[in-house]
């Protein structure tokens, strides 16, 4: 041991300040080269990822750009083999609102989206808060039962629903009220993401409010809801978008009655063989109009939408 100590002292005495400085510079150069190599690899990988995402975005946007361009084509009304119109104008949009039932379809869809978004949001958030905060007999069974029941596709019950709505006179011209009833009837089953978000809010807030004399309803609306703004907006958006883009069920119970259709069912009628040659460009104009409100709404609330999804994606 004494010999090792002597050797260490000898080595320390042999290294001069100049040599120590040179070693430090050499080590710094090596670290700089390694850092530059990692930075170059990161830059290359990011560039490749951006190129791939750019290509995917272009491919994804091509149909939308095509529909927009065709909506301004006025030289003819049928499908053509070119993309850029030879004559531009707003004739298709004018025809859409003056000569078709599109305004009625748009109003029907807006009414459905507005009512469903309000009622379904209240039901989903109430169910989610109940399952997150309260403990009662049969809670686990209820959650598992709704989870399993939600795995069955909805079209299995379409015949039964049509019969029930027919007996209630909620088909044909009154189909929008039948759609609203079906959309909100089982909305409480969509509690998964909202419950996960409520689970992230500390229960100590509820306990403190209970000590101060607040009721469960006051805790829910005055304490939990202000903290749950992202999940509230997420629930409103998803509830509004469901009837806005529904086609199968809305067309099924409208029974081909124009006054009871939503925009998806109504616009699809223009793509049938006896209509497509006269209504194709008008159909494109209708597609553009339909996409504007939901696009603006989503862009304005995108921040809260993402926060709601990520905040609710936890184990409850």
């Amino acid at each position: 041991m004494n010999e090792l100590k002597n050797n260490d002292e000898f080595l320390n005495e042999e290294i001069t300040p100049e040599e120590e400085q040179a070693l430090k510079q050499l080590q710094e150069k090596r670290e700089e080269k390694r850092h530059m190599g990692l930075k170059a690899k990161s830059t290359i990988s990011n560039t490749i990822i951006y190129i791939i995402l750019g290509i995917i975005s272009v491919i994804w946007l091509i149909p939308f750009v095509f529909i927009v361009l065709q909506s301004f084509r006025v030289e003819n009304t049928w499908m053509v083999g070119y993309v850029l119109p030879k004559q531009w104008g707003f004739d298709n949009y004018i025809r859409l609102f003056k000569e078709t039932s599109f305004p009625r379809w748009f109003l029907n869809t807006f009414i459905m989206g507005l009512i469903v978004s309000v009622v379904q949001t209240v039901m989903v958030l109430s169910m989610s808060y109940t399952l997150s905060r309260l403990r009662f007999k049969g809670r686990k069974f209820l959650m598992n039962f709704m989870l399993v029941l939600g795995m069955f596709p909805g079209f299995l019950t379409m015949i039964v629903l049509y019969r029930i709505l027919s007996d209630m006179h909620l088909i044909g011209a009154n189909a929008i009220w039948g759609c609203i009833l079906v959309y909100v009837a089982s909305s409480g089953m969509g509690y998964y993401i909202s419950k996960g978000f409520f689970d992230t809010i500390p229960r100590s807030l509820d306990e403190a409010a209970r000590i101060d004399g607040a009721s469960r309803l006051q805790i829910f609306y005055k304490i939990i809801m202000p903290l749950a703004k992202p999940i509230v907006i997420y629930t409103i958006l998803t509830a509004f978008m469901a009837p806005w883009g529904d086609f199968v069920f809305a067309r099924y119970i409208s029974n081909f009655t124009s006054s009871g259709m939503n925009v998806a069912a109504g616009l699809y009628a223009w793509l049938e063989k006896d209509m497509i040659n006269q209504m194709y460009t008008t159909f494109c104009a209708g597609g553009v109009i339909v996409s504007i409100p939901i696009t603006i709404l989503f862009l304005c609330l995108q921040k809260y939408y993402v926060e709601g999804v990520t905040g609710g994606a936890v184990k409850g």
Side-chain angles (χ1 to χ4, degrees):
M1 293 294 294
N2 293 329
E3 292 179 357
L4 292 174
K5 290 181 179 179
N6 294 331
N7 290 334
D8 292 339
E9 292 176 356
F10 175 76
L11 291 174
N12 291 332
E13 290 177 357
E14 290 296 328
I15 297 176
T16 62
E18 292 78 7
E19 292 174 342
E20 185 177 359
Q21 184 68 23
L23 288 173
K24 288 183 179 180
Q25 293 178 354
L26 180 61
Q27 187 176 4
E28 290 177 357
K29 288 182 180 179
R30 289 178 180 176
E31 290 292 331
E32 185 178 356
K33 288 182 179 180
R34 188 176 68 86
H35 179 71
M36 292 178 63
L38 294 175
K39 186 177 180 180
K41 290 181 181 179
S42 177
T43 302
I44 294 173
S45 61
N46 289 337
T47 302
I48 294 174
I49 292 173
Y50 290 148
I51 291 174
I52 294 174
L53 292 177
I55 294 173
I56 294 174
S57 301
V58 171
I59 296 174
W60 182 75
L61 288 172
I62 284 176
F64 298 96
V65 175
F66 177 79
I67 290 176
V68 173
L69 293 176
Q70 294 301 301
S71 68
F72 291 101
R73 176 164 56 86
V74 297
E75 64 264 20
N76 48 53
T77 59
W78 55 86
M79 297 181 65
V80 295
Y82 52 88
V83 177
L84 292 177
K86 296 179 181 178
Q87 298 179 10
W88 299 73
F90 293 93
D91 296 4
N92 296 314
Y93 292 92
I94 296 173
R95 182 187 182 190
L96 184 69
F97 286 97
K98 288 187 176 182
E99 301 179 12
T100 68
S101 300
F102 180 82
R104 178 62 184 270
W105 301 338
F106 192 91
L107 180 62
N108 291 344
T109 308
F110 181 78
I111 292 174
M112 285 192 294
L114 187 63
I115 296 176
V116 170
S117 61
V118 174
V119 179
Q120 186 169 320
T121 299
V122 173
M123 295 181 66
V124 169
L125 296 180
S126 300
M127 175 66 75
S128 303
Y129 177 78
T130 301
L131 296 176
S132 175
R133 288 298 194 265
L134 303 183
R135 297 295 182 267
F136 51 89
K137 187 177 180 179
R139 172 178 172 272
K140 287 290 185 181
F141 172 78
L142 179 62
M143 294 172 61
N144 294 331
F145 177 75
M146 288 190 293
L147 180 62
V148 174
L149 195 62
M151 294 180 179
F152 292 93
F155 65 83
L156 293 178
T157 61
M158 287 182 64
I159 297 177
V160 177
L161 289 175
Y162 183 87
R163 181 62 184 175
I164 294 174
L165 295 176
S166 177
D167 294 340
M168 298 173 64
H169 303 288
L170 295 179
I171 63 173
N174 298 321
I176 60 170
W177 305 110
C179 287
I180 292 172
L181 180 62
V182 173
Y183 292 150
V184 302
S186 60
S187 56
M189 296 173 58
Y191 68 89
Y192 316 108
I193 296 180
S194 302
K195 177 187 175 298
F197 190 93
F198 288 139
D199 288 340
T200 63
I201 300 176
R203 296 176 62 88
S204 58
L205 297 176
D206 301 48
E207 297 171 357
R210 294 286 291 177
I211 293 174
D212 291 338
S215 64
R216 289 287 184 183
L217 186 63
Q218 290 175 328
I219 294 173
F220 179 64
Y221 283 105
K222 295 184 178 181
I223 297 177
I224 302 300
M225 284 297 98
L227 298 175
K229 186 177 180 181
I231 200 63
V232 173
I233 294 177
Y234 165 80
T235 307
I236 293 174
L237 273 176
T238 53
F240 185 82
M241 291 171 62
W244 197 267
D246 184 31
F247 166 71
V248 177
F249 186 73
R251 187 169 185 262
Y252 181 61
I253 68 170
S254 65
N255 202 16
F256 303 99
T257 304
S258 179
S259 59
M261 291 181 177
N262 65 348
V263 287
L267 291 178
Y268 181 80
W270 292 348
L271 296 181
E272 296 179 357
K273 292 182 179 180
D274 56 342
M275 296 285 291
I276 189 170
N277 287 334
Q278 293 78 28
M279 304 297 296
Y280 178 72
T281 52
T282 308
F283 163 81
C284 294
V288 174
I289 295 297
V290 169
S291 64
I292 290 176
I294 198 67
T295 302
I296 295 175
L297 186 64
F298 183 81
L299 290 176
C300 294
L301 304 178
Q302 182 181 10
K303 174 184 175 182
Y304 302 102
Y305 182 86
V306 175
E307 290 180 0
V309 175
T310 55
V314 297
K315 184 177 180 180

